[in-house]
Amino acid sequence: MSARGGAMIALLVLFGVLVAVAVSLVVVLLRRKHAPTETAEGLLIEQEARLRAHHSRVSFNSRVAHNSTPTMGDSHHRQ
């Protein structure tokens, strides 16, 4: 077996593994149930999760992160 043949087999194995992972992800996502929450407790949990997600998006967006002043823990130490 030549080096070129071994490289070709390695590429085929790599692509085979990638295809297997992609197919398994599609199967897992399609098997999930997306039923709406019907109980009051479930609705409150979803509302709280949405509020936490919104707060996180506002608190950690790019503008907030990059317009802050450097701290001692940052890599922007003055020399």
Side-chain angles (χ1 to χ4, degrees):
M1 180 184 292
S2 66
R4 181 180 261 177
M8 182 63 95
I9 291 173
L11 277 175
L12 289 175
V13 169
L14 174 68
F15 286 132
V17 169
L18 289 175
V19 167
V21 168
V23 167
S24 64
L25 286 174
V26 168
V27 168
V28 166
L29 290 175
L30 289 177
R31 290 181 61 188
R32 279 189 183 173
K33 293 183 179 180
H34 293 288
T37 303
E38 296 176 0
T39 63
E41 183 181 352
L43 291 173
L44 289 174
I45 291 171
E46 286 183 7
Q47 181 182 15
E48 184 180 334
R50 273 196 309 273
L51 288 173
R52 277 196 315 260
H54 174 72
H55 178 68
S56 293
R57 282 193 300 271
V58 171
S59 298
F60 302 114
N61 66 19
S62 179
R63 191 172 356 126
V64 170
H66 295 295
N67 286 337
S68 63
T69 57
T71 62
M72 292 302 291
D74 289 335
S75 60
H76 306 289
H77 293 292
R78 293 186 182 191
Q79 295 182 8

